[in-house]
Amino acid sequence: MPPAESFELVLVLIAIVIPLELIARRLRFPPSAALTLGGVALALLPGMPEISVDPDLMLVLFLPPLLFSSAYFTVWRDFRANLRIILQLAVGAVAFTTLIVGVVARLLVPDLPWAACFALGAVVSPPDAVAAKAALAGLPLPARLVTLLEGESLINDAAGLVLYRLAVTAGLTGVFSLAGGAGEFVLLAAGGVAVGLAAGFLVSSALARLKDAHLAIAASFLVAWASYILGERLHVSGVLSTVVCGLVLGQRQHSLFSAVTRVQATAVWAVAVFIMESLIFILIGLSLRGVLHRLSESGFEMSRFAPAIGAILLAMTAARFVWILTTAYVARFLFPKLRASDPYPPLAVPIVMSWAGMRGVVSLAVALAVPEEFPGRDFIMAATMAAIFASILIQGTTLRPLIKAMPLGAFELAQAQTLSLAQARARMIRAEERAIAGLSRQPDGGERHPRLSEQYGRRAEIAQRYAESNGEFDAARREHYDAILAANRAGRAELLRLHRAGEVHDAVVQALESELDLEEIGARRVADYSEGAAHGANPGHA
């Protein structure tokens, strides 16, 4: 397909995303499933060109920015507090699933070499970061459960890719050493972390010198790809390099970047991530036609291997259940200190975590990248496509009803007591008041800024009273911000009336509209938080 036609096709796909998203939201259907089915429908249209997905391009184009964005907005304190379980999922569950799928594949398809069986296991073992994020969006989940699933999705791709490389090397050379494989795994992981740390600290220092928000945002996208490519070029884990670099920048953003840069970067990244995630699911659907055509040309009999593939999918799903249930309860049973600090979770928690493991773009790209001469390549590709579609269309569509039906209960890790939002706001405003008082007081005892001193003093008093009220003023506070929003709407309507009447210049409209926008954003954020707190929502994931 000529480059111009490829670009036109991308534009068409982005245009299709919008109605599919609207339909999914109206029907309360998972957008990931709707987009995938939309891609399948497009692929089956008469005259539709066959889409050939380049696996290397797919990985380097989509994976780094999506991983970087997730890591950048990860709450480091929660991630670190749950690192033990995250590693159990990201490394332990991936390795266990690889083993189980490999053994089952060998038993059901004896002609398939062990290396090919374990390569298949490595391909389908890691749940996909994009699929997991799409499935969890908007679901009423405990904050800790979201932290575990999103944290797992940041790291597990690295484990799956390393295991896949070891299996492919063994299949092509006929040589495999368990000790050598373990050593290579540690080296790749440690190297990726080291590269990510170095890149994160060096780049964050450089970005701090970019005062222009547009340049800083453009550089942040380059950093996402550069950290991944650098890791791969140094023959370490590019996935971990990208994730660690994103974590470092996410932690340092508060002191390095200006308010304008942070606000604009959040908006730009949100749109870019939305488009990339949507395109991924459509491309998964579109790629089905090309994969089936390739399998047909090679003489692969899908009907002959369908029972074995079905059994492998069951083994893949069951392995995750077994691992998560075992590690959730057996470890706490064997270690009383662990049980005391982190009690047994409700049974619904490991069940939901097990069912939330969906496969996606990484599995597809890796399956397409299997070398032509590798034994069992067609079987690996067919089983992987089945795993992706089954997980997105079955698990993705049933996850919400499962969560609503399962009593998740309290599932939080005991941590040091922290200030509430109201308490932190009271401390912040009190510091602002002290700064104004110091600037306003004159040597003769007079005030240079009496109105500001009065205003900040009043704000500090109100914030302190609210922090100590235990929710007594929540209703009045919501009414207060509702009134601000009503006034904002009235001011906006008058500004637009003046503009339509030709009484104000466009530059004046843009300046005043920016002020109204910031006022509305601030008021809505506080009003939404108050509403969420009144219903027991977790403000950290509102």
Side-chain angles (χ1 to χ4, degrees):
M1 183 181 297
E5 291 185 12
S6 299
F7 177 68
E8 292 171 2
L9 177 61
V10 171
L11 293 180
V12 170
L13 295 182
I14 294 175
I16 291 172
V17 165
I18 298 174
L20 287 176
E21 281 278 345
L22 291 174
I23 292 171
R25 293 176 186 181
R26 177 66 62 87
L27 300 177
R28 294 187 176 276
F29 195 70
S32 56
L35 292 168
T36 303
L37 290 175
V40 172
L42 284 174
L44 298 179
L45 284 177
M48 184 69 180
E50 184 176 306
I51 305 299
S52 179
V53 179
D54 185 293
D56 294 329
L57 177 61
M58 198 172 190
L59 280 181
V60 76
L61 177 61
F62 292 109
L63 195 59
L66 294 177
L67 287 175
F68 183 88
S69 174
S70 296
Y72 184 88
F73 293 105
T74 293
V75 180
W76 170 246
R77 176 180 294 181
D78 294 344
F79 182 87
R80 182 181 59 189
N82 291 280
L83 187 58
R84 174 184 62 84
I85 302 179
I86 289 173
L87 290 177
Q88 283 180 359
L89 294 168
V91 180
V94 168
F96 183 72
T97 303
T98 299
L99 175 64
I100 296 301
V101 170
V103 171
V104 171
R106 176 69 176 186
L107 291 175
L108 296 175
V109 190
D111 295 337
L112 204 63
W114 277 109
C117 295
F118 288 126
L120 170 61
V123 169
V124 302
S125 60
D128 186 67
V130 180
K133 186 177 178 181
L136 298 177
L139 294 180
L141 293 170
R144 188 185 181 195
L145 196 151
V146 174
T147 298
L148 292 175
L149 290 173
E150 291 187 348
E152 174 198 10
S153 69
L154 288 176
I155 303 174
N156 60 10
D157 288 336
L161 288 171
V162 171
L163 292 174
Y164 164 77
R165 289 178 185 175
L166 296 176
V168 169
T169 301
L172 294 177
T173 64
V175 178
F176 176 75
S177 167
L178 183 60
E184 183 177 352
F185 184 93
V186 172
L187 181 62
L188 290 171
V193 171
V195 170
L197 284 172
F201 282 103
L202 288 174
V203 167
S204 59
S205 299
L207 288 178
R209 294 181 171 86
L210 289 176
K211 303 305 180 184
D212 185 277
H214 296 163
L215 295 178
I217 294 169
S220 69
F221 280 91
L222 290 176
V223 169
W225 278 297
S227 57
Y228 179 86
I229 294 171
L230 179 62
E232 292 296 312
R233 291 292 176 88
L234 294 176
H235 304 291
V236 297
S237 173
V239 169
L240 288 180
S241 175
T242 306
V243 168
V244 172
C245 183
L247 288 172
V248 171
L249 262 68
Q251 287 302 296
R252 305 193 75 191
Q253 59 158 314
H254 310 290
S255 58
L256 294 177
F257 303 143
S258 68
V260 173
T261 298
R262 279 195 299 273
V263 170
Q264 293 186 4
T266 300
V268 171
W269 270 95
V271 174
V273 167
F274 168 77
I275 292 175
M276 287 186 179
E277 289 178 347
S278 300
L279 286 177
I280 281 174
F281 290 115
I282 284 189
L283 287 174
I284 287 175
L286 283 172
S287 65
L288 177 63
R289 179 176 174 180
V291 171
L292 292 178
H293 179 69
R294 191 178 308 178
L295 293 176
S296 176
E297 283 189 338
S298 65
F300 183 82
E301 300 177 19
M302 182 64 81
S303 58
R304 174 189 169 195
F305 291 100
I309 291 175
I312 287 172
L313 299 188
L314 290 176
M316 176 188 74
T317 306
R320 182 171 174 85
F321 271 90
V322 170
W323 179 266
I324 292 179
L325 287 167
T326 302
T327 54
Y329 294 105
V330 173
R332 289 175 173 84
F333 176 78
L334 295 176
F335 300 101
K337 288 185 178 180
L338 174 61
R339 186 168 65 249
S341 62
D342 190 8
Y344 291 116
L347 182 60
V349 169
I351 291 177
V352 169
M353 290 178 65
S354 301
W355 194 243
M358 281 155 285
R359 279 63 180 175
V361 62
V362 174
S363 295
L364 173 61
V366 174
L368 292 174
V370 174
E372 292 282 351
E373 66 275 16
F374 191 76
R377 180 179 185 272
D378 293 338
F379 182 82
I380 292 173
M381 191 178 302
T384 301
M385 290 299 296
I388 294 170
F389 277 91
S391 62
I392 291 176
L393 300 180
I394 298 177
Q395 291 172 248
T397 56
T398 56
L399 188 58
R400 182 181 293 273
L402 176 67
I403 290 172
K404 290 184 176 181
M406 301 292 285
L408 292 170
F411 179 58
E412 299 299 335
L413 188 63
Q415 297 183 9
Q417 187 65 33
T418 58
L419 297 176
S420 67
L421 176 66
Q423 292 169 332
R425 178 181 286 115
R427 296 275 189 94
M428 181 186 70
I429 295 175
R430 186 67 70 183
E432 292 175 340
E433 181 205 11
R434 288 194 296 268
I436 289 294
L439 293 171
S440 178
R441 195 171 295 113
Q442 301 186 71
D444 62 359
E447 293 285 341
R448 182 177 287 106
H449 308 293
R451 296 295 298 273
L452 278 178
S453 294
E454 179 184 354
Q455 178 184 347
Y456 275 88
R458 177 64 174 160
R459 287 182 62 201
E461 178 187 349
I462 292 174
Q464 188 62 40
R465 287 175 56 196
Y466 182 78
E468 297 171 352
S469 68
N470 294 321
E472 178 183 348
F473 303 124
D474 281 348
R477 190 164 185 257
R478 287 195 295 274
E479 291 177 2
H480 171 82
Y481 283 100
D482 286 343
I484 290 177
L485 290 171
N488 183 280
R489 288 192 295 272
R492 194 182 298 276
E494 176 64 12
L495 177 63
L496 294 177
R497 187 192 69 78
L498 293 172
H499 182 239
R500 285 193 293 267
E503 298 183 38
V504 292
H505 193 273
D506 284 8
V508 174
V509 173
Q510 291 173 2
L512 293 178
E513 191 174 44
S514 295
E515 294 179 12
L516 289 170
D517 289 344
L518 290 175
E519 181 184 56
E520 181 182 349
I521 290 171
R524 286 194 182 280
R525 183 173 297 167
V526 177
D528 291 344
Y529 175 84
S530 299
E531 186 70 22
H535 291 85
N538 187 328
H541 296 270

